[in-house]
Amino acid sequence: ASACDRLLSPKRDLVTIPPAQPGTTPETVTEYSAALEWFTTERPVLVACINYAAATGYDSHAMHLAWAMMSFFDRRSHWQDWLVIQHTALTCARRVNSLVGQGNAHRSLGRGYIYLGRPTEAQPHLNAALAKYSEASDDAGQAYTHLNLAILMGQQERRKDALHHADEALTLFRGRQHRIGEA
């Protein structure tokens, strides 16, 4: 899933995952279209794997797999699956006390609610993401969350607030020399 995600979004910030266990052979996918096809075929199994991992104490695995599926869900507009797995990821991140994991899940939930036109549900998740990323000193996470807040504020025609969040994101990206985010 991570390899396919890299093909869909090569510039996306990575989440560190453990190496494959001895005796396992990850599938090799090398093209964008093959990555989309793989995710399309495996989607029900991957969602079930996230739920199973969360139910059996493999919280980090569930969080990482949920993160790896985001680009695919974005490309295919699977917003309901997006919300379900991110709620699961948030539960798992809380159990393992991962601030960045909680930030990622909250930000993803905020984005999902934005896409579904549910701003009153998006805002608290984006605010929570900012708080978790701040607590973890994750400037990139904060910057991306500010961008999501800028989008939300823009949709609500709160242009001054949108500009403020866009400026905050730019400042954070520049401070980190995060050229992609800055662009």
Side-chain angles (χ1 to χ4, degrees), residues 19-156:
Q21 294 295 309
T24 61
T25 306
E27 292 186 47
T28 302
V29 179
T30 59
E31 296 179 4
Y32 181 93
S33 60
L36 275 178
E37 183 178 324
W38 184 85
F39 270 125
T40 299
T41 301
E42 300 297 336
R43 185 183 109 214
V45 173
L46 295 168
V47 171
C49 283
I50 291 167
N51 292 325
Y52 182 77
T56 57
Y58 290 93
D59 294 320
S60 293
H61 292 75
M63 289 176 359
H64 293 142
L65 185 52
W67 180 259
M69 295 189 71
M70 298 307 296
S71 296
F72 169 71
F73 285 164
D74 190 26
R75 303 285 187 293
R76 293 292 191 228
S77 304
H78 291 298
W79 309 128
Q80 293 305 322
D81 280 348
W82 175 308
L83 293 177
V84 168
I85 68 165
Q86 289 308 317
H87 277 290
T88 301
L90 180 57
T91 297
C92 291
R94 285 176 174 152
R95 284 197 297 237
V96 298
N97 198 29
S98 170
L99 295 173
V100 171
Q102 290 175 62
N104 288 343
H106 276 300
R107 181 165 56 97
S108 295
L109 284 164
R111 285 180 59 206
Y113 287 123
I114 288 170
Y115 293 143
L116 288 170
R118 293 160 59 180
T120 57
E121 292 167 273
Q123 178 98 38
H125 282 291
L126 294 174
N127 291 340
L130 272 181
K132 293 301 178 183
Y133 287 136
S134 177
E135 192 175 344
S137 299
D138 183 337
D139 289 344
Q142 290 177 71
Y144 280 117
T145 305
H146 278 294
L147 286 179
N148 294 137
L149 282 162
I151 292 166
L152 178 63
M153 300 298 144
Q155 287 178 346
Q156 295 173 333

